[in-house]
Amino acid sequence: MNKTNAVLRIGDFEPTFAHELALRYETPSLPDGRERSRFLAEHASEIRVVVTSGHPGVDAETIAALPSLEAIVNNGAGVDAIDLDAAKRRGIGVSNTPDVLSDTVADTALGLILMTLRRFAAADRYVRAGRWTRDAPFPYARDVSGLQVGILGLGRIGSAIATRLLGFDCAIAYHNRHRIEGCPYRYAPSPVELARSVDVLVVATTGDRGTRKLVDRTVLEALGPDGYLINIARGSVVDQEALVELLVGGALAGAGLDVFADEPHVPAELLGLDNVVLFPHIGSATARTRRAMALLAIHNLDNYLANRELLTPVLRPRR
């Protein structure tokens, strides 16, 4: 095991990552409260690399408190909990764990689509409650095959979702900041126009300041009372207040949500809706995928300490 004060852990780590990192490195963790100030006063100048994983992330204040910081290694594809602007100004490198979770998250999106439109979760509850024997037949649901599906964010995960939906003979459209040359799918010039033209809108974009409430009330209203929203990106991308209001009022057909604006808190209004499927942010939560993510994050750490290079950089460190 490598014992080093050059690496600082920040946040509560996912169990697999915590285990794999502990097998290889003995590093300090950033304390809370008064102990934090004391720790930084004694050790801030030693820290070259921060290792983090989701909440609470690494904000501008923390970056400013670490004068020798060179790199931030994140266990996860999303880096919305890291202040990238502050890191870029300092020339601090940031890495993430792309690719290794794309298939698993795409599987989750497909599961949400099937469960929401076909009402599988509601049907399961119907049987468990004994309603099959005493009530009317379970209501009809919506076919997935042949639908128009819009993907907001056709990156690695969005592309993997699209590939799966082709097996259901779905027509795919997408919106990115820029049209993808050679892409076989229809491009929509705005999120509103994408939502207006599809039956299902799948949110697969990054979660950062540039995408905050990208799916706003206007986009949701364009999706309409026959449209479904699926979100496996970040809760911050969707105007959650507007989403709840429209779902409760019947202005949307349904939603499948793996992410929320204030996790782990879920709006109480959604809990009783049978046309909404709620997951506890499990998009990448399989043993194989979480270990692959952990090992890629650790390989980034290993390589940076040895060569001052990140294997999967979001921001490259200034040399």
Side-chain angles (χ1 to χ4, degrees):
M1 181 186 295
N2 182 4
K3 183 174 182 178
T4 175
N5 288 329
V7 178
L8 177 65
R9 295 174 43 157
I10 294 182
D12 297 324
F13 285 6
E14 186 271 330
T16 303
F17 184 45
H19 173 73
E20 296 292 344
L21 185 66
L23 290 176
R24 297 162 176 81
Y25 287 92
E26 184 179 345
T27 65
S29 295
L30 183 63
D32 294 324
R34 294 180 181 177
E35 291 300 315
R36 173 188 172 106
S37 298
R38 185 179 305 168
F39 175 89
L40 290 173
E42 294 179 6
H43 302 289
S45 62
E46 304 168 14
I47 304 302
R48 294 177 52 214
V49 183
V50 161
V51 180
T52 188
S53 183
H55 184 78
V58 186
D59 59 18
E61 181 182 354
T62 303
I63 290 172
L66 299 170
S68 302
L69 185 62
E70 301 168 8
I72 300 170
V73 173
N74 183 59
N75 178 47
V79 290
D80 48 303
I82 298 170
D83 193 319
L84 295 180
D85 291 336
K88 188 174 183 178
R89 285 194 296 270
R90 282 267 305 275
I92 295 167
V94 177
S95 68
N96 66 342
T97 58
D99 295 323
V100 293
L101 75 168
S102 298
D103 284 334
T104 302
V105 177
D107 291 346
T108 302
L110 183 60
L112 275 172
I113 292 168
L114 287 166
M115 290 183 69
T116 304
L117 274 72
R118 289 299 312 276
R119 301 188 66 194
F120 287 151
D124 177 79
R125 292 191 294 271
Y126 189 86
V127 173
R128 292 175 188 274
R131 297 182 61 190
W132 194 15
T133 57
R134 71 171 187 263
D135 292 350
F138 188 75
Y140 291 152
R142 183 82 174 269
D143 282 319
V144 173
S145 296
L147 291 182
Q148 300 276 338
V149 179
I151 299 177
L152 187 60
L154 195 70
R156 296 178 178 94
I157 293 172
S159 295
I161 295 168
T163 299
R164 283 153 175 75
L165 288 169
L166 292 177
F168 288 83
D169 294 323
C170 292
I172 308 298
Y174 76 98
H175 173 76
N176 280 7
R177 290 186 178 96
H178 305 287
R179 184 193 298 264
I180 302 171
E181 291 298 326
C183 180
Y185 310 128
R186 176 174 61 85
Y187 178 72
S190 72
V192 171
E193 293 183 59
L194 179 64
R196 186 178 293 124
S197 67
V198 297
D199 304 299
V200 181
L201 179 63
V202 181
V203 184
T205 189
T206 56
D208 54 36
R209 291 178 184 176
T211 60
R212 182 171 178 79
K213 293 189 178 180
L214 182 63
V215 180
D216 58 13
R217 179 180 294 274
T218 305
V219 174
L220 294 170
E221 289 176 345
L223 191 54
D226 295 322
Y228 295 82
L229 180 80
I230 305 295
N231 189 5
I232 48 83
R234 287 290 187 268
S236 61
V237 180
V238 176
D239 184 336
Q240 184 168 281
E241 184 177 335
L243 174 63
V244 170
E245 181 183 325
L246 293 173
L247 284 168
V248 171
L252 282 173
L257 309 173
D258 184 45
V259 290
F260 303 89
D262 183 26
E263 296 176 3
H265 305 291
V266 176
E269 298 93 329
L270 298 181
L271 300 179
L273 297 181
D274 263 353
N275 62 335
V276 178
V277 176
L278 307 170
F279 285 176
H281 202 152
I282 57 169
S284 63
T286 69
R288 179 187 65 83
T289 297
R290 288 293 171 85
R291 187 165 191 270
M293 292 168 61
L295 293 179
L296 180 53
I298 291 168
H299 290 160
N300 270 288
L301 175 59
D302 292 341
N303 202 64
Y304 189 82
L305 292 176
N307 306 310
R308 293 195 65 195
E309 291 184 359
L310 297 169
L311 298 174
T312 53
V314 175
L315 293 176
R316 294 186 182 278
R318 187 180 299 153
R319 302 302 295 266

